[in-house]
């Protein structure tokens, strides 16, 4: 791609962008009365304008039908778990019976570890990335303890090498091979939340299986961001969240993926609840848990219908835009941000910010993480005052996530112009 550092070029890119109309489907928060430069979809995606209408629809059902809404009306609540499947299956590269929207991410991490982390004999360890998101660390630690084991010697962390930011793929594979028959589970993110590094899920899964371990992924930063093929990659289990790139609202529903080879596997340990019980017999209220086929059989409870309505509104926009088109635009948009940031650094002796995310498109999603060498949080504050909404991660990283769904090339141009102005003060 031949980029140019001019507003005219940014406008031209926006005009040629087949997805540009989607920006208008979202509420863009304002700063100082102007549309913000919202690069925080990695933390909380923006609100689709149609979410209100989807919510109002369920409010009306409830208002007018009360409990009858469970089985009547045009969106009966008892089947609300199924509505998101077509869209999610494309986003995740999974079959519809391999996925179900439910709970929150951390809850699902526990549910999948209950089923897929089964320490037995010599095979007791779990391999994960060093510097994982805290909830993942706590979940893993507590699961290991739950089995009466010590996390100190049962959790193997693969970290970046001294002086590097990213984890080398060969180091992950080497650790998996090294610990071989001691590993019960390999648990990695699809994308590292801090650095934006995409992991090679396909070959991590292959290596894990070769070692005889189960392989799971936390897709919090990958879902709705990069192209995935969970089924073809043969991944055992995965979870994600819907409030980051999937724009479904603060704290909204997560989901669980379980490969179809476990669809009717009643030998796997699992924590059960009535919503995972055979749908046709559920209301007979009988003893003896008979799980539904596939991921649905992992459901515990009554679905949160209002939350799912917001999820569905957001997913309908993914259906319209298409995940492949989104990814295609994303590569260009993030490439433009990278180009503009490099240009900013070219004009000074000592760069104030350094991109720590990979420069290879296939090793990143839309996020670029910037290591701030000078000015720290003060500098970030000035960018916020100038209209940027992004996030700051201690000790000194700014994460910028131009999302292909609602961000424009003009946003990128505006941000880098703002940075140029702010950096002069440091
Ligand atoms: C965002 C995120 C979470 C958040 O967990 P919740 O259960 O949704 O609060 C967990 N893990 C990772 C890697 C994340 O990026």
């Amino acid at each position: 791609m031949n980029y140019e550092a001019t507003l005219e070029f940014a406008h031209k890119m926006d005009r040629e962008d087949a997805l540009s109309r989607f920006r208008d489907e979202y509420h863009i928060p304002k700063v100082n009365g102007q549309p913000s430069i919202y690069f925080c979809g990695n933390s909380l995606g923006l609100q689709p304008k149609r979410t209100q209408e989807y919510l109002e629809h369920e409010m009306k059902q409830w208002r007018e039908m009360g409990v009858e809404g469970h089985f009547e009306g045009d969106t009966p609540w008892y089947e609300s778990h199924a509505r998101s499947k077509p869209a999610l299956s494309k986003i995740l590269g999974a079959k519809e019976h391999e996925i179900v929207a439910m709970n929150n991410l951390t809850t699902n991490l526990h549910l999948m570890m209950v089923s897929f982390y089964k320490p037995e004999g010599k095979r007791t360890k779990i391999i994960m990335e060093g510097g994982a998101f805290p909830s993942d660390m706590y979940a893993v630690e507590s699961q290991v303890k739950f089995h009466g084991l010590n996390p100190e010697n049962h959790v193997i962390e693969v970290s970046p090498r001294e002086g590097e930011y990213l984890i080398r793929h060969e180091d992950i594979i080497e650790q998996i091979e090294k610990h071989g028959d001691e590993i019960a589970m390999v648990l990695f993110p699809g994308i590292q939340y801090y650095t934006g590094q995409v992991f090679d899920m396909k070959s991590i899964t292959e290596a894990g299986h070769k070692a005889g371990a189960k392989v799971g992924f936390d897709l919090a930063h990958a879902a709705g961001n990069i192209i995935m093929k969970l089924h073809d990659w043969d991944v055992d289990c995965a979870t994600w969240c819907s409030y980051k790139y999937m724009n479904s609202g603060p704290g909204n529903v997560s989901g669980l993926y379980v490969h179809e080879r476990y669809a009717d596997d009643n030998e796997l340990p699992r924590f059960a609840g009535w919503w995972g019980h055979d749908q046709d017999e559920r209301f007979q209220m009988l003893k003896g848990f008979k799980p539904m086929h596939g991921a649905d059989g992992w459901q515990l409870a009554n679905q949160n219908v209002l939350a799912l309505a917001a999820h569905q509104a957001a997913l309908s926009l993914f259906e319209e835009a298409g995940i492949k088109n989104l990814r295609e635009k994303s590569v260009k948009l993030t490439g433009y941000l990278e180009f503009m940031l490099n240009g900013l650094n070219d004009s000074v002796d000592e760069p104030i910010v350094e991109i720590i995310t990979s420069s290879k498109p296939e090793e990143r999603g839309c996020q670029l993480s910037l290591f701030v060498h000078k000015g720290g949080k003060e500098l970030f504050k000035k960018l916020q005052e100038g209209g940027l909404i992004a996030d700051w991660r201690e000790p000194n990283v700014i994460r910028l996530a131009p999302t292909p769904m609602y961000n424009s090339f003009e946003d990128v141009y505006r941000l880098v112009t703002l940075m140029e102005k702010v950096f002069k003060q440091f």
Side-chain angles (χ1 to χ4, degrees):
M1 195 76 225
N2 286 322
Y3 295 117
E4 290 168 35
T6 63
L7 184 59
E8 291 70 35
F9 178 80
H11 282 160
K12 178 175 156 279
M13 290 298 283
D14 283 330
R15 274 196 311 275
E16 289 170 3
D17 168 18
L19 300 180
S20 62
R21 76 168 179 90
F22 286 95
R23 180 174 173 84
D24 196 43
E25 292 277 354
Y26 291 81
H27 293 287
I28 312 284
K30 291 190 170 162
V31 173
N32 308 325
Q34 292 288 327
S36 62
I37 305 164
Y38 194 85
F39 280 2
C40 215
N42 57 310
S43 183
L44 181 68
L46 290 181
Q47 184 184 133
K49 290 178 181 168
R50 63 179 70 169
T51 300
Q52 180 111 22
E53 182 194 313
Y54 275 64
L55 277 171
E56 173 50 27
H57 176 77
E58 299 303 343
M59 294 296 280
K60 183 165 178 281
Q61 303 282 96
W62 177 26
R63 196 157 61 228
E64 295 177 357
M65 285 191 277
V67 72
E68 306 298 347
H70 272 297
F71 298 105
E72 285 168 24
D74 51 0
T75 52
W77 300 326
Y78 86 101
E79 57 186 35
S80 56
H81 71 285
R83 217 154 282 137
S84 54
K85 285 175 185 277
L88 287 175
S89 96
K90 288 169 208 151
I91 290 170
L92 298 154
K95 297 190 179 181
E96 292 190 16
H97 68 162
E98 292 176 320
I99 46 175
V100 65
M102 61 176 188
N103 308 326
N104 289 86
L105 190 156
T106 307
T107 314
N108 288 335
L109 260 181
H110 279 295
L111 292 182
M112 74 186 214
M113 290 189 73
V114 162
S115 296
F116 294 96
Y117 174 58
K118 287 190 296 175
E120 268 167 349
K122 196 174 168 207
R123 203 179 273 290
T124 53
K125 295 180 178 170
I126 177 155
I127 292 202
M128 67 188 296
E129 101 262 35
F133 192 90
S135 208
D136 301 56
M137 290 198 264
Y138 307 151
V140 168
E141 202 179 290
S142 60
Q143 284 284 337
V144 170
K145 284 187 183 164
F146 178 72
H147 288 284
L149 301 170
N150 183 354
E152 294 244 336
N153 45 25
H154 284 83
V155 182
I156 301 158
E157 294 184 349
V158 189
S159 299
R161 293 187 190 177
E162 190 72 33
E164 297 183 5
Y165 297 111
L166 307 178
I167 302 174
R168 294 201 194 186
H169 181 68
E170 69 251 37
D171 291 353
I172 300 172
I173 303 300
E174 190 191 295
Q175 286 299 312
I176 294 175
E177 286 171 355
K178 182 176 150 201
H179 294 277
D181 61 0
E182 295 176 353
I183 313 169
M185 188 178 193
V186 177
L187 178 66
F188 258 78
I191 297 187
Q192 219 281 342
Y193 80 99
Y194 192 79
T195 62
Q197 176 179 11
V198 171
F199 292 102
D200 182 344
M201 290 177 254
K202 183 169 183 266
S203 45
I204 290 175
T205 304
E206 261 169 35
H209 284 170
K210 219 166 127 197
K214 297 284 194 268
V215 182
F217 289 97
D218 177 338
L219 306 174
H221 283 258
N225 183 8
I226 56 170
I227 305 284
M228 289 184 287
K229 296 192 164 24
L230 298 185
H231 174 84
D232 293 348
W233 295 340
D234 212 28
V235 172
D236 293 299
C237 56
T239 182
W240 55 89
C241 57
S242 69
Y243 51 82
K244 291 175 179 163
Y245 294 108
M246 280 196 272
N247 313 319
S248 299
N252 204 351
V253 69
S254 162
L256 183 74
Y257 156 91
V258 181
H259 191 277
E260 70 180 352
R261 67 178 150 272
Y262 307 109
D264 296 303
D265 186 341
N266 294 338
E267 299 302 308
L268 276 186
R270 65 172 104 178
F271 287 171
W274 77 316
W275 226 251
H277 188 89
D278 178 10
Q279 196 165 310
D280 299 331
E281 290 181 12
R282 188 183 292 150
F283 287 91
Q284 292 174 16
M285 314 302 225
L286 296 173
K287 213 172 155 160
F289 178 63
K290 205 168 126 190
M292 286 171 85
H293 174 80
D296 292 350
W298 266 263
Q299 291 177 94
L300 296 180
N302 237 306
Q303 289 278 7
N304 183 339
V305 169
L306 295 178
L308 286 179
H311 191 27
Q312 203 55 32
L315 289 177
S316 71
L317 287 153
F318 274 84
E319 288 285 70
E320 286 174 30
I323 186 76
K324 284 207 186 82
N325 299 332
L326 285 163
R327 175 63 180 159
E328 230 168 79
K329 170 175 172 186
S330 178
V331 169
K332 289 184 202 158
L333 189 62
T334 296
Y336 191 48
L337 177 60
E338 180 185 39
F339 166 83
M340 292 292 284
L341 288 169
N342 287 342
L344 199 60
N345 283 343
D346 286 347
S347 58
V348 292
D349 297 333
E350 279 178 74
I352 289 191
V353 292
E354 173 193 355
I355 302 173
I356 63 174
T357 310
S358 171
S359 58
K360 296 184 189 137
E362 65 277 14
E363 287 174 11
R364 66 187 188 205
C366 64
Q367 174 186 324
L368 292 183
S369 300
L370 310 186
F371 189 99
V372 180
H373 285 287
K374 221 159 85 184
K377 226 170 164 174
E378 271 308 298
L379 175 136
F380 182 63
K381 234 172 90 194
K382 289 261 193 281
L383 293 173
Q384 287 177 307
E385 286 162 11
L388 173 68
I389 301 182
D391 71 17
W392 173 264
R393 281 285 170 269
E394 295 297 341
N396 43 18
V397 161
I398 299 174
R399 300 186 299 174
L400 299 174
T403 71
M405 187 66 101
Y406 47 73
N407 285 119
S408 62
F409 289 83
E410 184 183 341
D411 282 341
V412 170
Y413 184 86
R414 277 178 64 206
L415 171 65
V416 179
T417 317
L418 169 66
M419 283 180 152
E420 207 169 5
K421 208 170 76 189
V422 167
F423 286 6
K424 287 200 180 109
Q425 304 165 35
F426 288 87

